[in-house]
Amino acid sequence: EAGVAQSPRYKIIEKRQSVAFWCNPISGHATLYWYQQILGQGPKLLIQFQNNGVVDDSQLPKDRFSAERLKGVDSTLKIQPAKLEDSAVYLCASSLAFPYSYEQYFGPGTRLTVT
Amino acid sequence: QQPVQSPQAVILREGEDAVINCSSSKALYSVHWYRQKHGEAPVFLMILLKGGEQKGHEKISASFNEKKQQSSLYLTASQLSYSGTYFCGTGKIETSGSRLTFGEGTQLTVNP
């Protein structure tokens, strides 16, 4: 079974530039999550989708971050404009539908460096 | 509210035991444990549910004290492969998924 795919794996940009990350979840997984993991910290949930609808985006800085999940499969997370404090690993995860939704499968992440 | 993990770091020799604790100031409905090796994605270890049900697939055990709002992860006879950072995540399991808040992590190093 193929895992969660993310691209790019690494990205270096200057502050005020824009960047986009792509995620392809495991086939058949209804729920998709985007997390931000700052070095030395635990993952922080940014946004959660179920199929193509947003379940929770309360921690997404909406003035600069946006995300979409078209057709309930792939998802894109965008930052525009980037700030220095956005430097982090952005993890995408997916899970099966309830009642098997407790296990989240994480992708390898995208390491973003903002200079 | 972010759960608090302790200790922050622990160093073991192969074969030794370790306990990692996770506590919350809010009522716990479920506790999820993940392990993340350096440069890799977090991997699910175990979930503990209110009411005592436990699901996992590795030879690692855990407890869940609902009254004290705490969970502990027990790693016995540690192996080199146990090295990594352990995160506990707390939250509810809902029909839309599990909305988790993760702790800061406990870095475990197992030496030969």
Side-chain angles (χ1 to χ4, degrees):
Chain A
E1 176 181 82
V4 176
Q6 290 188 246
S7 68
R9 291 295 311 276
Y10 305 91
K11 191 75 178 179
I12 301 174
I13 61 172
E14 295 181 352
K15 59 184 179 184
R16 291 187 289 273
Q17 285 187 325
S18 62
V19 65
F21 313 127
W22 173 82
C23 172
N24 181 237
I26 294 173
S27 177
H29 281 200
T31 306
L32 185 147
Y33 312 80
W34 281 102
Y35 289 90
Q36 180 192 58
Q37 186 174 27
I38 293 172
L39 186 64
Q41 298 183 18
K44 174 188 166 187
L45 180 66
L46 292 175
I47 189 167
Q48 177 183 345
F49 293 93
Q50 185 178 32
N51 298 313
N52 59 350
V54 175
V55 174
D56 182 5
D57 63 357
S58 58
Q59 299 193 95
L60 187 73
K62 298 181 188 64
D63 58 333
R64 298 183 301 106
F65 286 64
S66 64
E68 60 182 8
R69 191 183 184 196
L70 298 175
K71 301 179 183 178
V73 182
D74 293 7
S75 177
T76 302
L77 177 70
K78 295 180 182 176
I79 307 175
Q80 183 179 12
K83 292 185 176 181
L84 295 176
E85 58 260 36
D86 298 332
S87 292
V89 175
Y90 290 84
L91 295 164
C92 177
S94 66
S95 65
L96 287 163
F98 186 84
Y100 304 105
S101 56
Y102 55 86
E103 181 171 354
Q104 296 184 24
Y105 296 79
F106 284 82
T110 296
R111 182 176 297 276
L112 174 68
T113 302
V114 182
T115 62
Chain B
Q1 191 92 18
Q2 186 177 36
V4 177
Q5 290 187 232
S6 63
Q8 286 186 313
V10 59
I11 300 174
L12 301 173
R13 286 203 179 275
E14 206 172 0
E16 291 181 338
D17 302 339
V19 180
I20 299 172
N21 300 303
C22 174
S23 63
S24 175
S25 58
K26 291 172 63 174
L28 289 177
Y29 296 92
S30 66
V31 179
H32 307 231
W33 287 96
Y34 284 78
R35 177 172 62 209
Q36 185 176 30
K37 293 183 181 283
H38 183 69
E40 298 181 8
V43 174
F44 174 80
L45 293 176
M46 178 172 296
I47 179 175
L48 298 107
L49 302 171
K50 194 173 183 179
E53 189 179 359
Q54 176 179 313
K55 300 179 192 292
H57 55 76
E58 285 200 11
K59 295 179 181 179
I60 295 173
S61 62
S63 65
F64 184 12
N65 188 322
E66 296 169 36
K67 259 189 173 180
K68 291 186 177 181
Q69 295 166 189
Q70 287 179 349
S71 176
S72 295
L73 189 71
Y74 304 95
L75 301 103
T76 56
S78 59
Q79 306 168 18
L80 295 176
S81 62
Y82 285 6
S83 292
T85 302
Y86 290 77
F87 295 100
C88 69
T90 59
K92 290 185 182 182
I93 301 172
E94 299 170 333
T95 55
S96 57
S98 302
R99 215 170 309 172
L100 299 181
T101 301
F102 284 97
E104 295 273 314
T106 295
Q107 189 170 351
L108 178 75
T109 303
V110 181
N111 292 319

